[in-house]
Amino acid sequence: MSTTRGSPLGRILVIILVIVLIIAGIWYFNKNNSTTIGEHVGEAIDAVPAAANKAIEEVKDSDTLSSVGENLEEAGENAGKGLEKAGKSTSSAVSKATDGDDRT
């Protein structure tokens, strides 16, 4: 059995034909879609109130708010403990530095 390869010109013509068919297909499916950019922007603007209302309803959810409140309270307590520890460390360092100055 001998295998024959197509000529390079034939391959190029097939590739060009495929590209033309793809472009024609895209054109055909989009030819009836005459929506302008302004219409797309208008649709997006019209959708904003509904999206805002949905977000507001989600925030009003009591479970969400109580969870946020608990997390903020815990963060405040942790910050207070951290400041207390930092204050004690600073006080200790100042005390040691002051005691060291008395020895001279």
Side-chain angles (χ1 to χ4, degrees), residues 34-44:
S34 61
T35 306
T36 64
I37 294 173
E39 291 171 337
H40 284 294
V41 170
E43 290 171 3

Side-chain angles (χ1 to χ4, degrees), residues 26-85:
I26 291 171
W27 173 80
Y28 177 76
F29 286 113
N30 289 322
K31 72 178 180 176
N32 291 331
N33 186 5
S34 61
T35 306
T36 64
I37 294 173
E39 291 171 337
H40 284 294
V41 170
E43 290 171 3
I45 291 172
D46 291 342
V48 168
N53 287 337
K54 182 179 177 184
I56 290 169
E57 290 302 319
E58 289 177 4
V59 169
K60 286 182 181 179
D61 183 16
S62 63
D63 293 337
T64 303
L65 288 177
S66 65
S67 173
V68 168
E70 291 170 2
N71 290 339
L72 285 174
E73 185 177 332
E74 184 179 335
E77 290 172 0
N78 290 339
K81 290 176 184 176
L83 286 174
E84 183 180 339
K85 288 180 182 179

